[in-house]
Each structure stands twice: as structure tokens, then as C-alpha cells.
Amino acid sequence: MSMQIFSTFENNIFLEIAISNLEKIGIKRENIYAVPLDHREETRKIFDTLHRSDGISLIDIAMPLATASSVITASLGFELKWGPIYWGLIGAVGGFMIGLAVRLLIVLITNRKTQQLKGKQSEVVLIIECEEEKGELVEKILWEHLAIGLAKVME
């Protein structure tokens, strides 16, 4: 009975050594497939949608700044012509706009840098077709040569 083993690797020398060791135990070169993965290169979106969120909040600076500035301007409004309510609202809107502008500036500056994933990245998918008897040995070789992940499919 035949089986397929799928594994992912970083693109380094351990992948080449693993392929060489698989050939040494009798797996033909035609039964080993190495497929490189393409990585996403699009930039992050600033505004979230209903179906996708990147976890960055644009109002996390704006809301506290709006609150603080509305309290300050409302207390100053007792001595100004329009009174504390109007000046409190003016301060809230102004503080919110300043906080939003600061946060947008921070996001746009950090968005220029390339965002890399933390930890190991899969760069190559290795697919091996072998007999079921050799499956355990193939799996052992792949784990010894730093496979990131592994899956088996019986045919």
C-alpha cells in the first residue's frame, strides 16, 4: 500500500540533507516533490472591514485624549463666553481629531516596514510518495532534519 507524506521546511541546508537521506534509503527522485511557497507581499490595510481585522485600533489614543481635553476645556469654559458644555464638546472633538491623527501617523510610519511573522516560516512543502513500510523511517528522517510540520495520507 502506498502513502504520501507532506512536510514543510525552511529553505536551508537541512532540507537538502533530508532529500539526500531519503534517496539513500531507496526513495526514487521521481517520488520526492519540493514546492517553494510564495510569501504575501501586499501591505496592510489601514481600515478594518466587517470580515477582516488586523488587531490595530485607530481610536485607542483618540478616545482618552478626547476625554482629557473635554474635561480641561469644560473646566475652562466656566470662564469663557459659550460656557462649559460647548467648550467641553469642542475639546472632545479636537482631542479626538488630534489623537486620531497621531495614531494614523504611527500606523503609516510602521506600515512601511515589512511585517515578518514571528518564529519559523514555512518556505518549502516537501511531498514524498513511498510504501507504507518506509513511512516511519521517512517520518523520522524528516523530523530529524527540522521539519516544521508533517502529515501522512494513506492511498
Side-chain angles (χ1 to χ4, degrees):
M1 189 169 188
S2 178
M3 72 184 304
Q4 287 184 332
I5 299 177
F6 298 85
S7 61
T8 57
F9 283 88
E10 289 181 328
N11 195 7
N12 57 24
I13 192 68
F14 294 110
L15 173 63
E16 301 295 329
I17 296 170
I19 292 172
S20 174
N21 287 344
L22 291 172
E23 290 175 350
K24 285 180 186 175
I25 64 167
I27 296 179
K28 296 177 184 174
R29 186 175 290 250
E30 298 85 37
N31 294 335
I32 301 172
Y33 306 100
V35 182
L37 296 173
D38 292 332
H39 292 286
R40 173 180 277 190
E41 294 181 5
E42 76 179 40
T43 59
R44 292 183 356 201
K45 308 277 190 257
I46 292 178
F47 296 106
D48 296 339
T49 63
L50 181 64
H51 303 289
R52 183 198 56 81
S53 174
D54 57 3
I56 295 175
S57 174
L58 293 178
I59 62 170
D60 59 348
I61 295 174
M63 292 305 284
L65 196 59
T67 303
S69 63
S70 70
V71 169
I72 292 169
T73 54
S75 64
L76 293 174
F78 281 107
E79 297 185 10
L80 298 175
K81 183 176 181 183
W82 290 348
I85 294 177
Y86 285 123
W87 283 107
L89 291 173
I90 291 169
V93 170
F96 185 84
M97 293 299 187
I98 292 170
L100 186 64
V102 167
R103 187 60 173 163
L104 277 173
L105 188 67
I106 290 171
V107 168
L108 290 175
I109 288 172
T110 59
N111 200 19
R112 291 182 187 162
K113 299 176 186 174
T114 56
Q115 300 291 325
Q116 292 189 356
L117 297 174
K118 294 180 181 177
K120 295 183 178 181
Q121 287 185 329
S122 295
E123 295 180 353
V124 177
V125 175
L126 191 63
I127 305 169
I128 297 110
E129 291 184 23
C130 65
E131 297 300 318
E132 189 175 349
E133 299 83 36
K134 291 184 181 179
E136 291 294 323
L137 183 58
V138 168
E139 185 178 347
K140 182 180 175 212
I141 289 172
L142 295 175
W143 284 125
E144 285 176 354
H145 292 89
L146 306 178
I148 295 173
L150 194 128
K152 295 185 282 189
V153 178
M154 301 289 183
E155 291 182 355

